[in-house]
Amino acid sequence: MSTQESARISARIFSNTALRRRNIPEGVTVKSIFEEASREAHSHKWIESERAGYDIGDAAIEDWHRRFWHRFVRERWIQHIRGEVYWRELDNNDFGILEKEFDDCREQSDAIASMLSQGGENLDIVQWAIDTKQDMKVVLHILERLDLNAHRLASKLDSTGSEFVRSLRARHRPRAIVVNDDPDARLIVRSILEYEQMEVVEAATGEEALEIVQTRRFDLFILDLRLPKRHGAEIAYHLRRHGVHRFIVATGASLDEWHECDLYDCGFTHLLKKPFPLERMAVIARDVIQSISAR
């Protein structure tokens, strides 16, 4: 037996042993995301070069990563959590979790996986849950466990390395406080803000919020108007007096009971009457992040 043949056998034995240690069922296809991505990218290079009539080179590889990488990874991740294909780069504990962990809410988990496979984002799923009157705690639990944002694998070409991202990382992660005595409402807003990469702190009362903001820096304040003991407008007024002049958001179904100018005078910069489109909250979060990056 040659040295090369011996090495190949040893590598195969090592690989099979490693897979058994990961408790991967026999018969499951095991693949590498980066190996398959490389094949897809080079196939794209060949097709584009044939179309152009000359070898485009690395520009075609970069083009593939820019145009197809995130969708490519999303599709493989869905296969992984469904237990269809084991992708080496993904978390072993996530393999087949749709069957292992969500058997008691299979209908919701299947629907969410289907939406994710079609390119849906967390915000789309939260809006679907509201529109179809799903149990929001169950839906948010599934989204938190699947953790879509953590599975956006960084491209080897670092396609996300923009000046904006670098400058943002060089500063701090934006932080928001959500003040509402309704825990379900807090969960919905929290899911939107965390999807936009914000750190979120919750408070159930105005007094609790005032204690928190005295000890920590916040970039965004989401205040429900009807809070126990201390009204949301009182909290906004306190923030304005202490130097906060941007991104204080009023939420509530009773905004019509106030004159808009009075709410702005109290310190609010944005007014969102319930029910409001979730995208509006996401847009405010993006404005906060952009304002930080511009400092």
Side-chain angles (χ1 to χ4, degrees):
M1 180 183 297
S2 69
T3 302
Q4 287 184 339
E5 289 175 337
S6 176
R8 280 197 296 269
I9 293 174
S10 297
R12 188 163 59 248
I13 292 174
F14 176 81
S15 178
N16 291 339
T17 302
L19 292 176
R20 284 198 297 272
R21 287 175 180 170
R22 293 181 179 182
N23 298 317
I24 301 174
E26 290 187 12
V28 172
T29 302
V30 180
K31 295 183 179 180
S32 165
I33 285 179
F34 287 121
E35 288 177 4
E36 183 160 323
S38 179
R39 285 192 291 270
E40 292 276 344
H42 281 85
S43 175
H44 177 74
K45 172 185 173 182
W46 180 83
I47 293 172
E48 293 301 308
S49 295
E50 283 288 309
R51 184 176 299 166
Y54 64 93
D55 186 355
I56 297 178
D58 289 343
I61 303 296
E62 294 179 10
D63 178 63
W64 182 88
H65 278 81
R66 183 173 57 254
R67 293 169 57 188
F68 303 115
W69 171 258
H70 294 295
R71 187 179 71 187
F72 175 88
V73 174
R74 172 78 68 92
E75 292 170 351
R76 273 71 191 165
W77 174 59
I78 295 296
Q79 292 176 342
H80 191 78
I81 65 175
R82 282 178 169 165
E84 298 169 351
V85 179
Y86 184 95
W87 295 96
R88 296 177 186 272
E89 291 84 357
L90 299 182
D91 192 332
N92 177 63
N93 295 324
D94 288 343
F95 180 70
I97 61 173
L98 288 186
E99 289 189 6
K100 291 187 295 186
E101 298 190 17
F102 302 123
D103 191 53
D104 57 341
C105 52
R106 191 60 181 273
E107 184 178 344
Q108 290 97 328
S109 63
D110 284 345
I112 289 173
S114 178
M115 284 184 279
L116 290 174
S117 67
Q118 296 170 26
E121 301 288 349
N122 287 347
L123 186 60
D124 301 315
I125 293 167
V126 170
Q127 188 66 63
W128 161 80
I130 294 174
D131 293 342
T132 58
K133 296 182 171 52
Q134 301 290 321
D135 186 328
M136 189 57 68
K137 291 182 179 178
V138 171
V139 171
L140 292 176
H141 167 67
I142 295 172
L143 288 176
E144 182 179 11
R145 180 63 184 88
L146 296 183
D147 196 6
L148 172 62
N149 292 327
H151 293 88
R152 301 179 195 277
L153 298 184
S155 169
K156 284 185 174 180
L157 297 181
D158 192 24
S159 61
T160 60
S162 65
E163 187 63 33
F164 167 73
V165 173
R166 285 195 294 271
S167 64
L168 180 58
R169 289 173 178 169
R171 290 175 171 84
H172 62 263
R173 186 181 179 192
R175 182 184 296 136
I177 183 168
V178 179
V179 189
N180 198 310
D181 60 338
D182 182 348
D184 290 338
R186 293 200 305 270
L187 277 173
I188 293 172
V189 175
R190 183 187 192 109
S191 68
I192 298 170
L193 300 181
E194 288 184 340
Y195 173 74
E196 299 297 334
Q197 304 301 306
M198 298 195 75
E199 179 184 345
V200 181
V201 176
E202 297 181 25
T205 67
E207 291 182 342
E208 182 184 358
L210 287 177
E211 290 181 5
I212 293 173
V213 299
Q214 289 177 14
T215 59
R216 304 180 70 179
R217 168 200 52 76
F218 290 92
D219 306 291
L220 173 62
F221 303 82
I222 311 292
L223 309 175
D224 192 65
L225 284 183
R226 292 188 177 276
L227 292 170
K229 297 183 179 179
R230 285 180 180 255
H231 197 280
E234 183 181 352
I235 308 302
Y237 183 70
H238 173 87
L239 294 173
R240 174 66 67 87
R241 288 185 59 193
H242 287 79
V244 178
H245 298 292
R246 297 191 65 189
F247 302 112
I248 307 176
V249 182
T251 65
S254 59
L255 293 186
D256 289 342
E257 298 176 7
W258 292 69
H259 291 295
E260 286 190 4
C261 58
D262 291 336
L263 290 173
Y264 288 128
D265 286 344
C266 287
F268 288 111
T269 58
H270 299 74
L271 309 178
L272 298 182
K273 181 181 178 182
K274 296 179 182 177
F276 54 84
L278 301 184
E279 179 64 21
R280 288 193 62 191
M281 184 69 74
V283 168
I284 293 173
R286 292 170 204 151
D287 288 344
V288 172
I289 294 172
Q290 289 179 0
S291 72
I292 292 172
S293 68
R295 291 175 188 171

